[in-house]
Amino acid sequence: MTFRALEPARIVALAAAAGLEVIEWGGDVHVPPGDVARAEEVARLTADAGLAVASYGSYFRAGSAESLTAVLDSAAALGADRVRVWAGSTGSAAATPRERAEVVTRLRAAAVEAAARGIGLALEFHSGTLADTAEAALRVLAEVDHPALSTYWQPTVGAPDAEALEEYRRLAAHVSAVHVFSWWPRTERHPLRTREALWTRVAAEAAAAERPPRDALLEFVPDDDPAHLAGEAAALRAYLGRPA
C-alpha cells in the first residue's frame, strides 16, 4: 500500500485492524536506506502488532556505480529477507546493448552481495525498465542467472484480463510476490473487486503453482484513503481463501 503520508505506527495499526499479515516497507519515505535505527524501530512496530515484514521496497536501479550496501543494511535491520529492485531506468525496447549489459552485470553483482547476507532480490515488473513485459523479465532473469533473483508481478497498465493473466502464467515460476490493485482503463484507481474476474483467476493459478508466490501485497488503495483499506483487505483475503 502507498500510505506515504502516514507514519509507520499508523500504517501498522491500519494493517493489523484490516486483518493483513505482512507489510512491505518502502525505502523512499518510511525506511530510508542506511538509516538502521529507523529500520529497527519500524521492525519493532511491525512485530509488536503481530505482523511480519514481507520485504523492503527499494529504489535501487542497478546503475553501474550504484551501491546496494545501505539498502541491504536497512533490509537486514527490518528483518526483511527480500529486497525489491529495479532493472534499470530504460524500457526493454529502448535500451541499447551496452545499457542492457551494464544493468545485467550490476544486478548479478547485487544478487551475489545480497545472497551473502541471506537476502534475496526481486525485480519490480514495471514499465520503463528492462522488466517491462513477461518476455523481457524472463530474459533479465536468464541473463543474470542467479538463484537469489526472482521477480514481482502486477497487471500491466491497460492490459485486459486475459492478457494480464497470460503474463502472470509466463512468469509464475519466478514470481515471489504479487502487487495487487485494480487500475482501469489506465491508472485510474478502483476498488479491488472492480477486476474480480482477473484476481480470482490469478489467485487460483497461484494456489495451483508448484512454487506459489509467497506474498500478495496491496500496493494501491483508491484515493489513498485509509478508510478503504478494510474493504480492500477483505476482498484480497476472499480471493486467497483466507477466513474473514
Side-chain angles (χ1 to χ4, degrees):
M1 48 190 174
T2 61
F3 295 141
R4 288 178 169 87
L6 302 182
E7 288 298 316
R10 176 65 172 148
I11 293 172
V12 164
L14 287 166
L20 297 174
E21 299 172 4
V22 301
I23 297 178
E24 176 178 87
W25 290 106
D28 55 343
V29 175
H30 294 121
V31 186
D35 190 341
V36 170
R38 174 71 163 181
E40 290 174 342
E41 176 191 3
V42 171
R44 178 184 56 77
L45 289 170
T46 306
D48 286 351
L51 302 171
V53 175
S55 46
Y56 180 58
S58 87
Y59 290 86
F60 175 79
R61 290 272 181 174
S64 58
E66 190 177 1
S67 175
L68 185 69
T69 303
V71 168
L72 295 176
D73 289 344
S74 287
L78 270 173
D81 65 356
R82 182 182 62 215
V83 172
R84 181 200 65 188
V85 298
W86 299 67
S89 302
T90 304
S92 59
T96 66
R98 179 177 178 177
E99 288 172 329
R100 176 178 199 87
E102 288 179 348
V103 170
V104 167
T105 298
R106 186 67 191 93
L107 282 172
R108 188 180 301 115
V112 170
E113 181 182 358
R117 300 181 64 169
I119 297 173
L121 304 180
L123 300 172
E124 175 80 350
F125 181 68
H126 203 281
S127 60
T129 74
L130 296 183
D132 54 3
T133 68
E135 181 180 0
L138 288 170
R139 182 179 174 188
V140 172
L141 290 165
E143 291 177 347
V144 173
D145 191 24
H146 195 286
L149 184 65
S150 62
T151 188
Y152 283 18
W153 176 82
Q154 63 191 33
T156 296
V157 172
D161 290 359
E163 181 180 323
L165 183 63
E166 182 56 30
E167 283 193 325
Y168 173 73
R169 286 172 174 160
R170 295 189 64 191
L171 285 173
H174 306 278
V175 173
S176 60
V178 174
H179 274 159
V180 181
F181 56 88
S182 289
W183 287 4
W184 194 260
R186 298 295 297 172
T187 58
E188 297 85 355
R189 300 185 187 185
H190 299 285
L192 200 54
R193 292 192 185 277
T194 302
R195 300 195 72 180
E196 186 161 315
L198 170 63
W199 289 115
T200 53
R201 293 168 73 187
V202 170
E205 293 271 347
E210 183 176 344
R211 295 175 56 189
R214 188 181 73 187
D215 301 303
L217 305 169
L218 287 172
E219 187 175 14
F220 297 104
V221 173
D223 302 320
D224 283 333
D225 186 348
H228 293 313
L229 180 60
E232 296 295 274
L236 177 59
R237 294 179 67 83
Y239 299 152
L240 299 176
R242 304 287 178 85

